[in-house]
Coordinates of all heavy atoms in Angstrom, one line a residue:
M1 N 167.3 74.7 5.6 CA 167.4 74.0 6.9 C 168.7 73.9 7.4 O 169.7 73.7 6.6 CB 166.6 72.6 6.8 CG 167.5 71.4 6.8 SD 168.6 71.2 5.4 CE 167.6 71.0 4.0
S2 N 168.9 74.1 8.7 CA 170.3 74.0 9.2 C 170.5 72.7 9.9 O 169.6 72.1 10.5 CB 170.4 75.1 10.2 OG 169.7 74.9 11.4
P3 N 171.8 72.3 10.0 CA 172.1 71.1 10.8 C 171.6 71.2 12.2 O 171.2 70.2 12.8 CB 173.6 71.0 10.7 CG 173.9 71.7 9.4 CD 172.9 72.8 9.3
E4 N 171.7 72.4 12.8 CA 171.2 72.6 14.2 C 169.8 72.2 14.3 O 169.3 71.6 15.3 CB 171.5 74.0 14.7 CG 173.0 74.3 14.9 CD 173.7 74.5 13.5 OE1 173.1 74.9 12.5 OE2 174.9 74.4 13.5
F5 N 169.0 72.7 13.3 CA 167.5 72.5 13.3 C 167.3 71.0 13.2 O 166.5 70.4 13.9 CB 166.9 73.2 12.2 CG 165.3 73.1 12.2 CD1 164.6 74.0 13.0 CD2 164.7 72.2 11.5 CE1 163.3 74.0 13.0 CE2 163.3 72.2 11.5 CZ 162.6 73.0 12.2
I6 N 167.9 70.3 12.3 CA 167.8 68.8 12.1 C 168.1 68.1 13.4 O 167.4 67.2 13.8 CB 168.8 68.3 11.1 CG1 168.6 69.0 9.7 CG2 168.8 66.8 10.9 CD1 167.7 68.3 8.8
Q7 N 169.2 68.6 14.0 CA 169.6 67.8 15.2 C 168.7 68.0 16.4 O 168.6 67.1 17.2 CB 171.1 68.5 15.6 CG 171.9 67.7 16.6 CD 172.6 66.5 15.9 OE1 171.9 65.7 15.2 NE2 173.8 66.3 16.1
T8 N 167.9 69.0 16.4 CA 167.0 69.2 17.6 C 165.6 68.9 17.3 O 164.8 68.5 18.1 CB 167.1 70.7 18.1 OG1 166.9 71.6 17.1 CG2 168.5 71.0 18.8
Q9 N 165.2 69.0 16.0 CA 163.8 68.9 15.6 C 163.4 67.5 15.0 O 162.2 67.3 14.9 CB 163.3 70.0 14.7 CG 163.6 71.4 15.3 CD 162.9 71.6 16.6 OE1 161.7 71.2 16.8 NE2 163.6 72.1 17.6
T10 N 164.4 66.7 14.6 CA 164.0 65.4 14.0 C 163.9 64.4 15.2 O 164.7 64.6 16.1 CB 164.9 64.9 13.0 OG1 166.3 64.9 13.5 CG2 164.9 65.9 11.7
D11 N 163.0 63.5 15.2 CA 162.7 62.7 16.3 C 163.6 61.5 16.4 O 163.5 60.5 15.7 CB 161.2 62.2 16.2 CG 160.8 61.4 17.4 OD1 161.7 61.0 18.2 OD2 159.6 61.1 17.5
L12 N 164.6 61.6 17.3 CA 165.7 60.6 17.4 C 165.1 59.2 17.7 O 165.5 58.2 17.2 CB 166.7 60.9 18.4 CG 167.9 59.9 18.6 CD1 168.6 59.7 17.3 CD2 168.9 60.4 19.6
T13 N 164.1 59.2 18.6 CA 163.5 57.9 19.1 C 162.9 57.2 17.8 O 163.0 56.0 17.6 CB 162.4 58.2 20.0 OG1 162.9 59.0 21.1 CG2 161.8 56.9 20.6
R14 N 162.2 58.0 17.0 CA 161.6 57.4 15.7 C 162.7 56.8 14.8 O 162.6 55.8 14.2 CB 160.8 58.4 15.1 CG 159.9 57.9 13.9 CD 159.0 58.9 13.4 NE 159.2 59.1 12.0 CZ 158.7 60.2 11.3 NH1 158.0 61.1 12.0 NH2 158.9 60.3 10.0
I15 N 163.8 57.6 14.7 CA 164.9 57.2 13.8 C 165.5 55.9 14.3 O 165.7 54.9 13.5 CB 166.0 58.3 13.7 CG1 165.3 59.6 13.1 CG2 167.1 57.8 12.9 CD1 166.1 60.8 13.4
V16 N 165.8 55.9 15.6 CA 166.5 54.7 16.2 C 165.5 53.5 16.1 O 166.0 52.4 15.9 CB 166.9 55.0 17.6 CG1 167.3 53.7 18.4 CG2 167.9 56.0 17.7
S17 N 164.2 53.7 16.3 CA 163.3 52.6 16.3 C 163.2 51.9 15.0 O 162.8 50.7 15.0 CB 161.9 53.1 16.7 OG 161.9 53.6 18.0
K18 N 163.7 52.5 13.9 CA 163.6 51.9 12.6 C 164.7 50.8 12.6 O 164.6 49.8 11.8 CB 163.9 52.9 11.5 CG 162.7 53.8 11.2 CD 162.8 54.5 9.9 CE 164.2 55.3 9.9 NZ 164.3 56.1 8.6
H19 N 165.7 50.9 13.4 CA 166.9 50.1 13.3 C 166.9 49.1 14.6 O 167.5 48.0 14.5 CB 168.2 50.8 13.3 CG 168.3 51.7 12.0 ND1 168.6 51.2 10.8 CD2 167.9 53.0 11.8 CE1 168.6 52.2 9.9 NE2 168.2 53.3 10.5
L20 N 166.5 49.6 15.8 CA 166.7 48.8 16.9 C 165.3 48.7 17.7 O 164.4 49.5 17.5 CB 167.6 49.6 17.9 CG 169.0 50.0 17.4 CD1 169.6 50.8 18.5 CD2 169.8 48.9 17.0
K21 N 165.2 47.6 18.5 CA 164.0 47.5 19.3 C 164.4 48.2 20.7 O 165.2 47.7 21.4 CB 163.7 46.0 19.5 CG 162.4 45.8 20.3 CD 162.3 44.3 20.5 CE 160.9 44.0 21.1 NZ 160.7 44.7 22.4
L22 N 163.8 49.3 20.9 CA 164.1 50.0 22.1 C 163.2 49.5 23.3 O 162.0 49.3 23.1 CB 163.7 51.5 21.9 CG 164.8 52.3 21.1 CD1 164.2 53.7 20.7 CD2 166.1 52.5 21.8
E23 N 163.8 49.2 24.4 CA 163.0 48.9 25.6 C 162.6 50.1 26.2 O 163.4 51.1 26.4 CB 163.9 48.1 26.6 CG 164.4 46.8 26.0 CD 163.2 45.8 25.8 OE1 162.3 45.9 26.5 OE2 163.4 44.9 24.9
T24 N 161.3 50.2 26.6 CA 160.8 51.4 27.2 C 161.3 51.5 28.7 O 161.1 50.6 29.5 CB 159.3 51.5 27.2 OG1 158.9 51.2 25.9 CG2 158.7 52.8 27.7
G25 N 161.9 52.7 29.0 CA 162.3 53.0 30.4 C 161.4 54.1 30.9 O 160.4 54.4 30.3
R26 N 161.9 54.7 32.0 CA 161.1 55.8 32.4 C 161.3 57.0 31.6 O 160.4 57.6 31.0 CB 161.3 56.0 33.9 CG 160.6 55.0 34.8 CD 161.1 55.1 36.2 NE 162.5 54.6 36.4 CZ 163.0 54.4 37.5 NH1 162.5 54.8 38.7 NH2 164.3 54.0 37.6
R27 N 162.6 57.5 31.6 CA 162.9 58.7 30.8 C 163.9 58.3 29.7 O 164.2 59.1 28.9 CB 163.4 59.8 31.8 CG 162.4 60.3 32.7 CD 162.9 61.2 33.8 NE 163.7 62.3 33.2 CZ 164.6 63.0 33.9 NH1 164.8 62.7 35.2 NH2 165.2 64.0 33.3
I28 N 164.5 57.2 29.9 CA 165.6 56.8 29.0 C 165.2 55.4 28.3 O 164.6 54.5 29.0 CB 166.9 56.5 29.8 CG1 167.3 57.7 30.5 CG2 168.0 55.9 28.9 CD1 168.0 58.8 29.7
L29 N 165.3 55.4 27.0 CA 165.1 54.1 26.3 C 166.3 53.4 26.0 O 167.4 54.0 25.7 CB 164.3 54.5 24.9 CG 163.1 55.4 25.1 CD1 162.6 55.9 23.7 CD2 162.0 54.7 25.8
K30 N 166.3 52.1 26.1 CA 167.5 51.3 26.0 C 167.4 50.2 24.9 O 166.3 49.7 24.6 CB 167.8 50.5 27.4 CG 167.9 51.5 28.6 CD 168.2 50.6 29.8 CE 168.3 51.5 31.0 NZ 168.6 50.7 32.2
A31 N 168.5 49.9 24.5 CA 168.6 48.8 23.4 C 170.0 48.2 23.5 O 171.0 48.8 24.0 CB 168.3 49.3 22.0
N32 N 170.2 47.0 22.8 CA 171.5 46.5 22.6 C 172.2 47.5 21.5 O 171.6 47.8 20.5 CB 171.5 45.1 22.1 CG 171.2 44.1 23.2 OD1 171.6 44.3 24.3 ND2 170.6 43.0 22.8
C33 N 173.4 47.9 21.8 CA 174.1 48.8 21.0 C 174.4 48.1 19.6 O 174.9 47.0 19.5 CB 175.4 49.2 21.6 SG 176.4 50.3 20.6
P34 N 174.1 48.9 18.5 CA 174.3 48.4 17.2 C 175.8 48.6 16.8 O 176.2 48.2 15.7 CB 173.4 49.2 16.3 CG 173.3 50.5 17.0 CD 173.4 50.2 18.5
F35 N 176.5 49.3 17.6 CA 177.9 49.7 17.2 C 179.0 48.9 17.8 O 180.2 49.1 17.5 CB 178.1 51.2 17.4 CG 177.1 52.1 16.7 CD1 176.3 52.9 17.6 CD2 176.8 52.0 15.4 CE1 175.3 53.7 17.0 CE2 175.8 52.8 14.8 CZ 175.1 53.6 15.6
H36 N 178.6 48.0 18.7 CA 179.6 47.0 19.3 C 178.9 45.8 19.7 O 177.7 45.8 19.8 CB 180.4 47.7 20.4 CG 179.7 47.7 21.8 ND1 178.8 48.6 22.1 CD2 179.9 46.9 22.9 CE1 178.3 48.4 23.3 NE2 179.0 47.4 23.8
A37 N 179.6 44.7 20.0 CA 178.9 43.5 20.4 C 178.4 43.7 21.8 O 179.2 43.9 22.8 CB 180.0 42.3 20.4
D38 N 177.1 43.7 21.9 CA 176.4 44.1 23.2 C 175.3 43.2 23.5 O 174.4 42.9 22.7 CB 175.9 45.6 23.0 CG 175.4 46.1 24.3 OD1 175.7 45.6 25.4 OD2 174.6 47.0 24.3
S39 N 175.2 42.8 24.8 CA 174.0 42.0 25.2 C 173.4 42.5 26.5 O 172.7 41.8 27.2 CB 174.4 40.5 25.3 OG 175.4 40.4 26.2
S40 N 173.8 43.8 26.8 CA 173.4 44.3 28.1 C 172.7 45.6 28.0 O 172.8 46.4 29.0 CB 174.5 44.3 29.1 OG 175.6 45.1 28.5
D41 N 172.1 45.9 26.9 CA 171.3 47.2 26.7 C 172.2 48.4 27.1 O 171.8 49.2 28.0 CB 170.0 47.2 27.6 CG 169.0 46.3 27.0 OD1 169.1 45.9 25.8 OD2 168.0 46.0 27.6
S42 N 173.4 48.5 26.5 CA 174.2 49.7 26.9 C 173.9 50.9 26.1 O 174.4 52.0 26.4 CB 175.7 49.3 26.5 OG 176.1 48.1 27.1
F43 N 173.1 50.8 25.1 CA 172.7 51.9 24.2 C 171.5 52.6 24.8 O 170.4 52.0 25.0 CB 172.4 51.4 22.8 CG 172.2 52.4 21.8 CD1 173.3 53.0 21.2 CD2 170.9 52.8 21.5 CE1 173.0 53.9 20.2 CE2 170.6 53.8 20.5 CZ 171.7 54.3 19.8
M44 N 171.6 53.9 25.1 CA 170.5 54.6 25.7 C 170.1 55.8 24.8 O 171.0 56.5 24.2 CB 170.9 55.3 27.0 CG 171.8 54.4 27.9 SD 170.8 53.7 29.2 CE 172.0 52.6 30.0
V45 N 168.8 56.1 24.7 CA 168.3 57.2 24.0 C 167.5 58.1 25.0 O 166.6 57.5 25.8 CB 167.3 56.8 22.9 CG1 166.7 58.0 22.2 CG2 168.1 56.0 21.8
S46 N 167.8 59.4 25.0 CA 167.0 60.3 25.8 C 166.1 61.1 24.8 O 166.5 61.9 24.1 CB 167.9 61.3 26.5 OG 167.2 62.4 27.0
P47 N 164.8 60.7 24.9 CA 163.8 61.5 24.0 C 163.7 63.0 24.4 O 163.6 63.8 23.5 CB 162.5 60.8 24.3 CG 162.8 59.5 24.9 CD 164.1 59.7 25.6
A48 N 163.9 63.3 25.6 CA 163.8 64.7 26.0 C 165.0 65.6 25.5 O 164.8 66.7 25.0 CB 163.8 64.8 27.6
K49 N 166.1 64.9 25.5 CA 167.3 65.7 25.0 C 167.6 65.4 23.5 O 168.5 66.0 22.9 CB 168.6 65.3 25.8 CG 168.5 65.8 27.2 CD 169.7 65.4 28.0 CE 169.6 65.8 29.5 NZ 170.7 65.2 30.3
N50 N 167.0 64.3 22.9 CA 167.1 64.0 21.5 C 168.6 63.6 21.2 O 169.2 64.0 20.2 CB 166.7 65.1 20.6 CG 166.0 64.5 19.3 OD1 165.2 63.6 19.4 ND2 166.3 65.1 18.2
I51 N 169.1 62.8 22.2 CA 170.5 62.3 22.0 C 170.6 60.9 22.4 O 169.7 60.3 23.1 CB 171.5 63.1 22.9 CG1 171.1 63.0 24.4 CG2 171.7 64.5 22.5 CD1 172.1 63.5 25.4
F52 N 171.7 60.2 21.9 CA 171.9 58.8 22.3 C 173.3 58.8 22.9 O 174.2 59.6 22.6 CB 171.8 57.8 21.1 CG 172.9 58.0 20.1 CD1 174.0 57.2 20.2 CD2 172.7 58.9 19.0 CE1 175.0 57.4 19.2 CE2 173.7 59.0 18.1 CZ 174.9 58.2 18.2
K53 N 173.6 57.7 23.6 CA 174.9 57.4 24.2 C 175.0 55.9 24.5 O 174.0 55.3 25.0 CB 175.2 58.2 25.5 CG 176.5 57.9 26.0 CD 176.9 58.9 27.2 CE 178.2 58.6 27.8 NZ 179.4 59.1 27.0
C54 N 176.1 55.4 24.2 CA 176.4 54.0 24.5 C 177.4 54.0 25.6 O 178.5 54.5 25.4 CB 176.9 53.2 23.3 SG 177.4 51.5 23.8
F55 N 177.1 53.3 26.7 CA 178.0 53.2 27.8 C 179.0 52.1 27.7 O 179.9 51.9 28.5 CB 177.2 53.1 29.1 CG 176.5 54.4 29.5 CD1 175.2 54.6 29.1 CD2 177.2 55.4 30.1 CE1 174.5 55.7 29.4 CE2 176.5 56.6 30.4 CZ 175.2 56.8 30.0
G56 N 178.9 51.3 26.6 CA 179.8 50.2 26.3 C 181.0 50.8 25.4 O 182.1 50.7 25.8
C57 N 180.7 51.3 24.3 CA 181.7 51.8 23.3 C 181.9 53.2 23.4 O 182.8 53.8 22.7 CB 181.4 51.2 21.9 SG 179.9 51.9 21.2
G58 N 181.0 54.0 24.0 CA 181.2 55.4 24.1 C 180.6 56.2 22.9 O 180.8 57.5 22.9
K59 N 180.0 55.6 21.9 CA 179.4 56.3 20.8 C 178.3 57.2 21.3 O 177.5 56.7 22.1 CB 179.0 55.3 19.8 CG 178.9 55.9 18.4 CD 179.0 54.8 17.3 CE 179.4 55.3 15.9 NZ 180.6 56.1 15.9
E60 N 178.2 58.4 20.8 CA 177.1 59.3 21.3 C 176.9 60.4 20.3 O 177.7 60.6 19.3 CB 177.5 59.9 22.6 CG 178.7 60.8 22.6 CD 179.1 61.4 23.9 OE1 178.2 61.6 24.7 OE2 180.3 61.6 24.2
G61 N 175.7 61.0 20.4 CA 175.4 62.1 19.5 C 173.9 62.3 19.4 O 173.2 61.9 20.2
G62 N 173.5 62.9 18.3 CA 172.1 63.1 18.0 C 171.6 62.4 16.8 O 172.3 61.5 16.3
P63 N 170.5 62.9 16.1 CA 170.0 62.2 14.9 C 171.1 62.1 13.8 O 171.2 61.1 13.1 CB 168.9 63.1 14.5 CG 168.3 63.6 15.8 CD 169.6 63.9 16.6
I64 N 171.8 63.2 13.6 CA 172.8 63.2 12.5 C 173.9 62.1 12.7 O 174.2 61.3 11.8 CB 173.4 64.6 12.3 CG1 172.4 65.6 11.9 CG2 174.5 64.5 11.3 CD1 172.8 67.0 11.9
E65 N 174.5 62.1 13.9 CA 175.4 61.1 14.2 C 174.9 59.7 14.2 O 175.6 58.7 13.7 CB 176.1 61.3 15.6 CG 177.0 62.6 15.7 CD 176.2 63.8 15.8 OE1 175.0 63.9 16.1 OE2 176.8 64.9 15.5
F66 N 173.7 59.5 14.6 CA 173.2 58.1 14.5 C 173.0 57.7 13.1 O 173.4 56.5 12.7 CB 171.8 58.0 15.2 CG 171.2 56.6 15.3 CD1 171.7 55.7 16.2 CD2 170.3 56.2 14.3 CE1 171.2 54.4 16.3 CE2 169.8 54.9 14.4 CZ 170.3 54.0 15.3
V67 N 172.5 58.5 12.2 CA 172.2 58.1 10.8 C 173.6 57.9 10.1 O 173.8 56.9 9.4 CB 171.4 59.2 10.1 CG1 171.4 59.0 8.6 CG2 170.0 59.1 10.6
M68 N 174.5 58.8 10.4 CA 175.9 58.6 9.8 C 176.5 57.2 10.2 O 177.0 56.6 9.3 CB 176.9 59.7 10.4 CG 176.7 61.1 9.8 SD 177.7 62.3 10.8 CE 179.3 61.8 10.2
A69 N 176.3 56.8 11.5 CA 176.9 55.6 11.9 C 176.2 54.4 11.4 O 176.8 53.4 11.0 CB 177.0 55.6 13.5
I70 N 174.8 54.4 11.5 CA 174.0 53.2 11.3 C 173.9 53.0 9.7 O 173.8 51.8 9.3 CB 172.6 53.2 11.9 CG1 172.1 51.8 12.1 CG2 171.7 54.1 11.2 CD1 172.3 51.2 13.3
E71 N 174.0 54.0 9.0 CA 173.8 53.9 7.5 C 175.1 54.2 6.7 O 175.1 54.3 5.5 CB 172.6 54.8 7.0 CG 171.3 54.4 7.6 CD 170.1 55.3 7.2 OE1 170.3 56.2 6.4 OE2 169.0 55.1 7.7
S72 N 176.2 54.3 7.4 CA 177.5 54.6 6.8 C 177.4 55.8 5.8 O 177.9 55.8 4.7 CB 178.0 53.4 6.1 OG 178.2 52.3 7.0
K73 N 176.8 56.9 6.4 CA 176.7 58.1 5.6 C 177.7 59.2 6.0 O 178.1 59.2 7.1 CB 175.3 58.6 5.7 CG 174.2 58.0 4.9 CD 172.8 58.6 5.2 CE 171.9 58.4 4.0 NZ 171.4 57.0 3.8
S74 N 178.0 60.1 5.1 CA 178.8 61.2 5.5 C 177.8 62.2 6.2 O 176.6 62.1 6.2 CB 179.4 61.9 4.2 OG 178.3 62.6 3.5
Y75 N 178.5 63.2 6.8 CA 177.7 64.2 7.5 C 176.6 64.9 6.7 O 175.5 64.9 7.0 CB 178.7 65.3 8.1 CG 178.0 66.4 9.0 CD1 177.8 66.1 10.4 CD2 177.5 67.5 8.4 CE1 177.1 67.1 11.2 CE2 176.9 68.5 9.2 CZ 176.7 68.2 10.6 OH 176.1 69.2 11.4
D76 N 177.0 65.3 5.5 CA 176.1 66.0 4.6 C 175.0 65.1 4.1 O 173.8 65.4 4.0 CB 176.9 66.5 3.3 CG 177.7 67.7 3.7 OD1 177.5 68.3 4.8 OD2 178.6 68.1 2.9
E77 N 175.4 63.8 3.8 CA 174.3 62.8 3.4 C 173.3 62.5 4.5 O 172.1 62.4 4.2 CB 175.1 61.5 3.0 CG 175.8 61.5 1.7 CD 176.6 60.2 1.5 OE1 176.9 59.5 2.5 OE2 177.1 60.1 0.4
A78 N 173.8 62.5 5.7 CA 172.9 62.2 6.9 C 171.9 63.4 7.0 O 170.8 63.3 7.2 CB 173.7 62.0 8.2
V79 N 172.5 64.7 7.0 CA 171.6 65.8 7.0 C 170.6 65.9 5.9 O 169.4 66.1 6.2 CB 172.5 67.2 6.9 CG1 171.6 68.3 6.7 CG2 173.3 67.3 8.2
K80 N 170.9 65.6 4.7 CA 170.0 65.5 3.6 C 168.9 64.5 3.8 O 167.8 64.7 3.6 CB 170.8 65.2 2.3 CG 171.3 66.5 1.6 CD 171.9 66.2 0.3 CE 172.9 67.3 -0.1 NZ 174.1 66.8 -0.9
S81 N 169.3 63.3 4.2 CA 168.4 62.2 4.4 C 167.4 62.5 5.4 O 166.2 62.3 5.3 CB 169.2 60.9 4.7 OG 168.5 60.1 5.5
L82 N 167.9 63.2 6.5 CA 166.9 63.5 7.6 C 166.0 64.6 7.2 O 164.8 64.6 7.5 CB 167.7 63.9 8.9 CG 168.4 62.8 9.6 CD1 169.4 63.3 10.6 CD2 167.3 61.9 10.4
A83 N 166.5 65.6 6.4 CA 165.7 66.7 5.9 C 164.6 66.2 5.0 O 163.5 66.6 5.1 CB 166.6 67.7 5.2
L84 N 164.9 65.2 4.2 CA 163.9 64.6 3.3 C 162.9 63.8 4.1 O 161.7 64.0 3.9 CB 164.6 63.6 2.4 CG 165.1 64.1 1.0 CD1 165.7 62.9 0.3 CD2 164.0 64.7 0.2
E85 N 163.3 63.0 5.0 CA 162.4 62.2 5.8 C 161.4 63.0 6.6 O 160.3 62.7 6.7 CB 163.2 61.2 6.7 CG 162.3 60.3 7.5 CD 163.1 59.3 8.4 OE1 164.3 59.2 8.2 OE2 162.4 58.7 9.2
F86 N 161.9 64.0 7.2 CA 161.1 64.8 8.2 C 160.5 66.1 7.5 O 159.8 66.9 8.1 CB 161.9 65.2 9.4 CG 162.1 64.0 10.3 CD1 163.2 63.2 10.1 CD2 161.2 63.7 11.3 CE1 163.3 62.1 11.0 CE2 161.4 62.7 12.2 CZ 162.4 61.8 12.0
G87 N 160.9 66.3 6.3 CA 160.3 67.5 5.5 C 160.6 68.8 6.1 O 159.8 69.7 6.2
V88 N 161.9 68.9 6.6 CA 162.3 70.2 7.2 C 163.3 70.9 6.4 O 163.8 70.3 5.5 CB 162.8 70.0 8.7 CG1 161.8 69.5 9.6 CG2 164.1 69.1 8.6
Ligands
LIG101 ZN1 178.2 50.5 21.9

């Protein structure tokens, strides 16, 4: 499995939902950012693009970057963890 495959084919919304309560929007899902002190739903997930971005602290990326940041994993560890979880 390639990191590119992981990045596009694992479901970021599902991964983020394990850690955060996402508020349903129309095309963008929002939550309080887990990476800085936030109380204004600065953290956005785009299910269509499978990416996240925080407009407060600027953190952004895909499934690999989210797992690296939220679980304090290295790039390789995040790729392995996602591959195991999604069976890809
Ligand atoms: Zn943030």
Side-chain angles (χ1 to χ4, degrees):
M1 102 297 296
S2 70
E4 291 75 21
F5 187 85
I6 301 268
Q7 199 74 311
T8 54
Q9 300 303 315
T10 58
D11 185 349
L12 179 61
T13 305
R14 190 173 122 193
I15 298 160
V16 171
S17 295
K18 289 195 301 185
H19 299 278
L20 309 177
K21 185 180 183 305
L22 286 167
E23 298 293 334
T24 307
R26 279 169 293 184
R27 294 169 55 198
I28 301 283
L29 307 172
K30 300 180 182 181
N32 282 332
C33 179
F35 306 120
H36 79 283
D38 184 23
S39 58
S40 55
D41 286 350
S42 304
F43 185 87
M44 320 258 176
V45 174
S46 165
K49 295 180 180 168
N50 219 39
I51 55 169
F52 70 91
K53 182 173 176 70
C54 173
F55 290 92
C57 64
K59 205 157 196 58
E60 62 184 327
I64 296 173
E65 287 77 17
F66 184 81
V67 169
M68 283 172 70
I70 201 92
E71 296 179 4
S72 300
K73 283 181 155 62
S74 71
Y75 184 88
D76 287 347
E77 287 168 344
V79 168
K80 274 184 201 143
S81 152
L82 287 165
L84 269 180
E85 179 176 350
F86 286 87
V88 294

